[in-house]
Structures are given as structure tokens and as C-alpha cells.
Amino acid sequence: MVRTVVVHDEELLRSALVQLLRSDAALEVSSMSPGADLPDRDVPPTDVWVVDGDCLWGPGQTHDAPFRARQGDRLVVLTTARRPGILRRAFDGGALGLVDKNAPARRLITAVHTVAKGERFLDETLTVALLEGAEMPLTTRELSVLSLASQGAPLTEIAARLHLSRGTVRNYMATAIRKVGARNRVDAIRILQSAGWT
């Protein structure tokens, strides 16, 4: 029996994924929302975590209730090729399985069984996007500046939170806007969010 926990922030989709996985008699499936901050002793024994890519915590992430994987967790992450940033974050975070949200249902079950054995499962539709995700154009500092700006933080607050001068923040902002080919700060934030980087 493969003990599996589904993590998704939307109740309807979480329960649909649970029902799909329960159609395989070899899987014992439960679920939780990404904000369920359980102490380690309360986490049920789990062989595989099936996590929606939008719930993963990563650098510059500002989700209120992210899912943070622990060392040694076997993850199957659900995402799309349109979000190379999420693919890269999942891969760099140690996810063994990457499954396209547009894949046939059976592919997720196959991925869970493959990852439960400690093997990697990469949906072929995601391979090119994963390689594109390696080409993140911004430095960590530039990404931090834009992430804070996306939360509505004014220039002075960004400078204070990152321990930088206002001029340095303006320079990081201008460089980031240029690197992503945006017209302005708002356009840069939109580009990064649609790629899954913030």
C-alpha cells in the first residue's frame, strides 16, 4: 500500500484528485490544505506527496499558506508547461515527479507508483519547459525587489526590508524590468507571475 497525501489549496480540486487516486486499490490516499501547518509528530506517515505546483514555497514566494516539503519527502508536483518557474522550483526542491495538469488521469497514478519506488517521473510534455525554467533572467535580489513590489510595497519599504538604499532598489527594479523585456514595473510583475517565478 502506497500512502499518499494530496496537497491543493482548492477543496473541489483536492477532493477530485483524492477520488482519482483512490481508484487505484494500491493507494491509500488522504489530503490536506497547504496551510495545514502540522508539527512533524502530527504528519501522517507518507510515501508520496502529490502537490499542486502553485502551493509550493520558493524564493520570493508570498503565498499565505504554502506547502513546505521536508528533507526526504517524495514529491509529485502538478503544473503546466506555461509555468517554467514552478517547474524549476519543484525540480530544484527535490521533486521526483513532475506531471502536466493536462495529462490523462492515469499518468498521475503512474507517477505516484514510480516516485514511491524512489524513481524519477518526468512528464514528456514538461521537458522543454523545465529546460526553459533554467533560464531565469533575474538575480535573487532583483526577484526579491519585484516580489515585494508585487505585494504593493512602496520603494522606501522595499529598501528598508532588504537593507538597501532607495537608489539601489531603483537600479534593481530598472534592471529587472529590462531583463524580462517589460514596459514597466507592473508589466514585469505580470511576466514573472505568469511564468511562475513569483
Side-chain angles (χ1 to χ4, degrees):
M1 188 68 71
V2 178
R3 294 165 300 196
T4 308
V5 176
V6 174
V7 180
H8 201 294
D9 58 352
E10 297 173 20
E11 176 65 32
L12 179 63
L13 295 176
R14 186 170 57 240
S15 38
L17 287 168
V18 167
Q19 291 308 311
L20 165 67
L21 292 170
R22 284 183 179 160
S23 68
D24 186 315
L27 301 178
E28 179 184 316
V29 186
S30 60
S31 70
M32 63 183 259
S33 68
D37 218 7
L38 301 172
D40 285 344
R41 68 182 180 283
D42 293 339
V43 175
T46 305
D47 296 315
V48 178
W49 294 85
V50 175
V51 183
D52 179 62
D54 291 324
C55 298
L56 286 176
W57 180 265
Q61 287 289 123
T62 57
H63 291 296
D64 293 333
F67 173 78
R68 293 179 190 251
R70 294 166 306 179
Q71 189 68 28
D73 282 346
R74 291 181 176 172
L75 299 181
V76 172
V77 176
L78 304 171
T79 189
T80 67
R82 294 185 319 270
R83 310 289 306 272
I86 291 175
L87 275 168
R88 176 50 57 184
R89 188 167 47 247
F91 187 80
D92 291 346
L96 288 177
L98 297 171
V99 177
D100 192 333
K101 289 181 180 180
N102 297 310
R106 189 75 200 156
R107 195 164 301 157
L108 176 58
I109 294 171
T110 302
V112 169
H113 283 293
T114 303
V115 168
K117 292 185 266 184
E119 299 171 9
R120 185 170 295 284
F121 182 93
L122 177 58
D123 205 327
E124 64 271 4
T125 60
L126 301 177
T127 53
V128 172
L130 180 60
L131 293 172
E132 289 172 356
E135 300 173 13
M136 168 51 157
L138 303 183
T139 65
T140 304
R141 187 60 87 177
E142 292 161 351
L143 183 59
S144 297
V145 166
L146 275 180
S147 292
L148 290 171
S150 73
Q151 297 171 39
L155 188 70
T156 53
E157 182 183 333
I158 295 170
R161 287 177 65 180
L162 297 178
H163 307 290
L164 300 170
S165 73
R166 289 173 44 196
T168 301
V169 170
R170 272 195 296 271
N171 288 341
Y172 278 129
M173 187 75 67
T175 302
I177 290 168
R178 181 183 47 77
K179 281 183 175 180
V180 299
R183 294 183 305 276
N184 54 38
R185 171 193 314 204
V186 173
D187 192 34
I189 292 166
R190 181 195 55 76
I191 289 168
L192 290 175
Q193 288 176 337
S194 67
W197 287 113
T198 62

